[in-house]
Amino acid sequence: MKVAYIQTSPIFGEKEQNFNQIDDLSTDLKADLIVLPELFATGYTFKSRDEANKLAESSNGKTYQFLKSLSFKTSAIIVGGFIELLKGKIYNSSLLVFKDLIKATYQKIHLFNQEKLWFSPGKEKYRVYDINNTKIGIMICFDWIFPEATRSLALQGAEIIAHPSNLVLPYCQNAMKIRCLENRVFAVTTNRIGKESRGDNRFLFTGGSQITSYNGEVLAKAPKDEIHVEVVSIDVSNAQNKKLNDYNDLFKDRNPQLYTYE
Ligand code: ACM
């Protein structure tokens, strides 16, 4: 199957321009799965909850409509981030869309830094979606630092983790090699580039979007400061085999009764 990232440079608050940027970058793109950055249509650095609220949408809003059209155009399952308005609260969420057949949302569980001032943390468990014979899990950006996130998805059978991101720390891309290796899953970490200086924050987003293989190998890596699109063919069945060698199966060798969780 073909998996892709579209690393963009969002303009804060300008949804239409941010949709157009992705439309232009995907003109000839055909893939089975395309991952976009976290909050790709709105930007990331809010000055107030009110500002984030004004950019929020229901899961049927403009961003969903755009992702649906992108899915029809590219024939791909699309995963990308948006501010979700749900029952009066706002979440840093991702939508998974496949044409007009499938729509799912994930509300980010582990909020980073001042995200805690604007967003409610997700309360729904990590879930895996079985679409076109591929098992896809979703996590968002800072979820990477909690090994339980990738593990929860992998234990449910995820073969690929779609990982929309707005990374500002330098660790995630290296960490994803280990997350993928220890769970024997693929991951598409899609980051953004550019700077946002708003309110108290000066963020430089670190680019380097990455497609990581089940054995920890990096299959594709974007530049740190350029818009970039990459498509990679993977054999997703490799993620079903958890054997590291003849004696070690990374899932069967786990010993949860000896682990402390709380
Ligand atoms: C992040 O979670 N956007 C760093």
Side-chain angles (χ1 to χ4, degrees):
M1 84 178 272
K2 287 186 173 171
V3 298
Y5 58 70
I6 302 182
Q7 173 169 294
T8 64
S9 183
I11 301 159
F12 187 88
E14 300 294 340
K15 286 187 189 176
E16 293 302 326
Q17 285 187 58
N18 295 327
F19 295 154
N20 289 341
Q21 191 182 144
I22 290 169
D23 218 18
D24 290 347
L25 288 166
S26 58
T27 307
D28 299 315
L29 182 59
K30 293 278 179 233
D32 299 292
L33 172 68
I34 298 173
V35 182
L36 305 176
E38 178 184 12
L39 300 175
F40 72 90
T42 58
Y44 179 77
T45 317
F46 306 100
K47 289 183 184 166
S48 66
R49 183 189 284 252
D50 191 46
E51 190 179 56
N53 242 315
K54 288 199 174 102
L55 291 165
E57 299 172 27
S58 81
S59 61
N60 282 320
K62 274 188 192 165
T63 300
Y64 168 65
Q65 301 304 332
F66 169 71
L67 295 181
K68 189 168 64 170
S69 68
L70 185 64
S71 178
F72 274 110
K73 178 173 122 178
T74 58
S75 308
I77 301 160
I78 314 285
V79 179
F82 78 121
I83 307 177
E84 182 176 14
L85 176 63
L86 183 66
K87 296 180 185 159
K89 291 185 175 172
I90 59 169
Y91 297 89
N92 180 346
S93 293
S94 280
L95 265 163
L96 177 152
V97 179
F98 183 53
K99 300 183 178 170
D100 51 5
L101 302 173
I102 296 165
K103 179 177 72 174
T105 55
Y106 160 66
Q107 288 100 27
K108 187 177 187 180
I109 293 172
H110 303 103
L111 298 173
F112 177 71
N113 202 307
Q114 289 193 347
E115 288 175 34
K116 292 192 177 196
L117 303 181
W118 333 129
F119 300 122
S120 296
K123 296 288 183 207
E124 300 286 333
K125 286 190 172 185
Y126 290 99
R127 276 192 57 186
V128 171
Y129 302 91
D130 194 343
I131 310 172
N132 302 338
N133 294 320
T134 304
K135 295 196 174 67
I136 300 172
I138 305 171
M139 63 184 198
I140 300 178
C141 205
F142 194 54
D143 280 331
W144 72 265
I145 209 165
F146 301 89
E148 295 88 346
T150 320
R151 182 65 109 204
S152 298
L153 291 167
L155 285 174
Q156 293 179 70
E159 295 157 340
I160 307 180
I161 312 282
H163 184 203
S165 296
N166 274 190
L167 295 160
V168 293
L169 300 176
Y171 314 114
C172 171
Q173 288 89 339
N174 277 332
M176 286 310 293
K177 298 180 205 170
I178 304 303
R179 294 288 168 272
C180 289
L181 174 68
E182 68 199 359
N183 290 289
R184 291 179 75 81
V185 293
F186 293 86
V188 182
T189 299
T190 303
N191 197 11
R192 59 163 287 179
I193 62 161
K195 285 185 191 154
E196 281 182 359
S197 294
R198 309 192 74 259
D200 301 336
N201 290 305
R202 310 258 169 291
F203 285 132
L204 173 66
F205 299 95
T206 57
S209 295
Q210 182 170 297
I211 301 176
T212 315
S213 185
Y214 71 100
N215 58 6
E217 224 181 282
V218 174
L219 302 175
K221 175 121 178 181
K224 65 179 178 359
D225 51 8
E226 284 170 39
I227 287 169
H228 196 71
V229 181
E230 186 91 39
V231 189
V232 166
S233 288
I234 61 170
D235 179 356
V236 81
S237 68
N238 282 314
Q240 293 156 11
N241 177 8
K242 304 300 180 190
K243 276 173 94 76
L244 192 63
N245 55 44
D246 286 347
Y247 297 91
N248 293 113
D249 179 302
L250 295 188
F251 279 15
K252 290 194 181 128
D253 287 358
R254 293 175 66 247
N255 214 333
Q257 62 272 34
L258 301 183
Y259 307 153
T260 303
Y261 290 101
E262 298 299 333

